[in-house]
Amino acid sequence: QALACSFEMLGRSWSGFISYEDMYTTDFLASLEEVDAGRIGCMGFSMGAYRSWMLSALSDKIKAGAAVCWLTTTEYQLSPDCGRGKGDSNYANVLPGLRRYLDYPHIASIACPKPMFFLNGEHDKLFHPVGVNAAFAEMRKVWESRSAGDKLVTELWDMPHDCGKKVQEAVLGFLDKWLQED
């Protein structure tokens, strides 16, 4: 929180800085000779999931993305009933003023029509299924409106906030499907 406060005092956003660094890193990766710049994907768990869908929305270099256990609506993100709303780690995803216009699923939907896989746990104490399903429904509307519904996978598994072997296998299967050479 102190770091985020210092950023704001300097007229910057910690979340914006994180996103910029992820975009810069992707640009660097794409510039490497040994990297096929047309087949770059990203995946993240928890805060890494937030970073993954943000990067997928912000960078044209990302061709497919996966986010495990970080998606909800602002209403549920701020709800004390859902274990959040205490300000514990929310500073890492605060983009000043943006929430007046766009909620998390709207921002994630900027990635459309890219292939995206969103997976959350039904027993995740950080992201309540009601908020997750509301976010999934908002994104589904966007992908369907672009005739890309087959490229959006949203799933709730019988699990807590977790990224175990089965989850990793599902993510790798998804990325393999969409990033294979033609």
Side-chain angles (χ1 to χ4, degrees):
Q1 292 176 354
L3 177 62
C5 183
S6 294
F7 266 84
E8 288 184 31
M9 288 175 56
L10 295 170
R12 299 186 69 194
S13 158
W14 184 21
S15 180
F17 181 79
I18 291 168
S19 295
Y20 173 79
E21 287 294 306
D22 289 343
M23 291 169 51
Y24 178 80
T25 301
T26 303
D27 290 345
F28 172 72
L29 179 67
S31 75
L32 298 175
E33 211 173 278
E34 61 269 26
V35 173
D36 181 346
R39 296 188 314 135
I40 298 175
C42 64
M43 176 274 177
F45 166 65
S46 198
M47 184 59 191
Y50 171 88
R51 293 175 72 166
S52 180
W53 58 255
M54 281 292 283
L55 179 60
S56 296
L58 295 171
S59 174
D60 290 336
K61 291 184 173 67
I62 299 298
K63 302 305 179 191
V68 177
C69 292
W70 204 120
L71 190 66
T72 190
T73 62
T74 300
E75 175 185 2
Y76 284 94
Q77 176 73 357
L78 296 177
S79 170
D81 296 333
C82 295
R84 304 296 277 187
K86 298 177 183 84
D88 52 354
S89 65
N90 296 340
Y91 281 106
N93 51 61
V94 172
L95 290 166
L98 186 61
R99 226 58 91 232
R100 286 182 295 185
Y101 308 103
L102 299 171
D103 199 353
Y104 295 117
H106 304 130
I107 299 166
S109 293
I110 295 169
C112 182
K114 293 176 188 175
M116 292 294 297
F117 181 26
F118 291 87
L119 173 63
N120 277 69
E122 289 179 350
H123 310 290
D124 189 328
K125 293 187 188 315
L126 299 176
F127 301 99
H128 194 276
V130 174
V132 172
N133 282 323
F136 285 174
E138 282 299 311
M139 293 186 313
R140 175 68 48 203
K141 289 185 221 174
V142 175
W143 263 263
E144 294 291 339
S145 77
R146 299 280 312 273
S147 300
D150 62 320
K151 294 180 180 177
L152 178 65
V153 177
T154 57
E155 296 179 359
L156 272 176
W157 286 15
D158 183 15
M159 65 180 207
H161 193 78
D162 183 61
C163 190
K165 186 174 181 178
K166 288 182 182 181
V167 171
Q168 293 171 42
E169 288 171 351
V171 168
L172 289 173
F174 177 84
L175 293 174
D176 280 347
K177 174 184 176 180
W178 291 104
L179 298 175
Q180 291 291 329
E181 289 187 74
D182 296 328

